[in-house]
Amino acid sequence: LEGSEFLVTTCGHAFCSSCAANVCSSARCGQCDAVLTDDDVHIRAPLSRQDSQIALCGYNPAQIMAICGRALQFWDGQQALRFQLEQERCAALEKRNSKLKSVMTEMHAKQVSAVNIMQARIHALEKEVESERFNSQTLQAKLQNESRQKRRLEEECSLLDQRRWLRSNFIATALKPHKTIQCSESQECVQNTNQPFTRNKEQE
């Protein structure tokens, strides 16, 4: 209220110019809800330096002391209201701080839970990767073994094909007709016709 006009009530409360209109229109104190009359409401303007020097001039000491006592009582009441207002503000801030703290605690718990879940998933994925790596190595070893078996079978098949070819050539050569053979005893020619060689009855 310093530096501007303000409203003072006999119940010991002061209001700024913006709140003074509501107090005057309702005829009730905005702080303690006391009924106010025109004589209970006083508009005060800040005193200039010259006015403050002559404001109490002409009053006897008893009146000055009464005025000062009333002013100090009013000032003490204003300070008490200010302190109460500050306490209410502090209580509101503490309540807000407590609410924010609870929200932050809940968010922290959720974040910790999410981190734990992600770590568990990462651990599971690492196990899966390790298992897949082991399976890949096992399959590679199996593939190499099967490749060796395939090469061995191919070599055996090639060897069997060679043997089969040699056998077929040998059989074909054996089944061909032999050339004419001249016997030294009878001077006759006998031709081999795929049957065992037999002597002539006369020779027997």
Side-chain angles (χ1 to χ4, degrees):
L1 300 177
E2 296 178 358
S4 61
E5 291 185 351
F6 57 93
L7 183 142
V8 179
T9 63
T10 55
C11 58
H13 299 109
F15 300 93
C16 63
S17 57
S18 60
C19 297
N22 295 330
V23 174
C24 294
S25 62
S26 63
R28 287 184 176 274
C29 177
Q31 187 65 32
C32 63
D33 201 29
V35 179
L36 301 174
T37 63
D38 294 339
D39 296 333
D40 298 327
V41 178
H42 303 277
I43 302 297
R44 293 287 185 267
L47 296 176
S48 63
R49 183 176 182 182
Q50 182 178 3
D51 292 338
S52 62
Q53 291 177 352
I54 63 173
L56 297 178
C57 293
Y59 293 95
N60 58 44
Q63 291 175 331
I64 293 174
M65 292 301 295
I67 293 172
C68 290
R70 179 62 178 168
L72 290 174
Q73 183 181 2
F74 181 82
W75 179 257
D76 185 64
Q78 291 298 313
Q79 293 300 317
L81 289 175
R82 180 177 293 180
F83 180 73
Q84 181 181 358
L85 180 62
E86 292 297 331
Q87 283 185 333
E88 291 177 356
R89 289 179 179 176
C90 289
L93 289 175
E94 288 179 357
K95 184 177 180 180
R96 183 180 179 184
N97 186 26
S98 178
K99 185 177 180 180
L100 290 175
K101 185 181 289 186
S102 63
V103 172
M104 291 298 295
T105 302
E106 184 178 357
M107 290 179 64
H108 178 71
K110 289 182 179 179
Q111 292 297 325
V112 170
S113 178
V115 169
N116 292 333
I117 293 173
M118 292 300 295
Q119 288 180 347
R121 290 184 61 186
I122 290 172
H123 186 64
L125 289 174
E126 288 177 351
K127 285 187 175 180
E128 290 181 3
V129 170
E130 188 66 24
S131 177
E132 291 297 330
R133 186 181 293 111
F134 177 76
N135 292 335
S136 177
Q137 293 176 355
T138 303
L139 290 175
Q140 287 179 357
K142 186 176 180 180
L143 179 61
Q144 292 176 358
N145 188 21
E146 290 181 354
S147 298
R148 287 193 295 267
Q149 291 180 0
K150 180 182 177 182
R151 287 194 297 270
R152 186 168 62 252
L153 290 175
E154 288 177 350
E155 291 175 357
E156 291 178 357
C157 289
S158 178
L159 183 60
L160 289 175
D161 290 337
Q162 292 177 3
R163 290 179 178 177
R164 190 180 297 110
W165 182 79
L166 291 174
R167 183 178 180 182
S168 61
N169 287 340
F170 178 76
I171 294 173
T173 304
L175 293 177
K176 285 182 179 180
H178 292 284
K179 293 181 179 180
T180 303
I181 300 174
Q182 184 176 3
C183 296
S184 58
E185 296 180 356
S186 60
Q187 300 297 326
E188 293 180 358
C189 294
V190 180
Q191 186 176 3
N192 188 358
T193 58
N194 295 332
Q195 291 181 358
F197 180 75
T198 56
R199 293 179 181 273
N200 197 349
K201 292 182 179 181
E202 296 177 357
Q203 294 178 355
E204 292 177 356

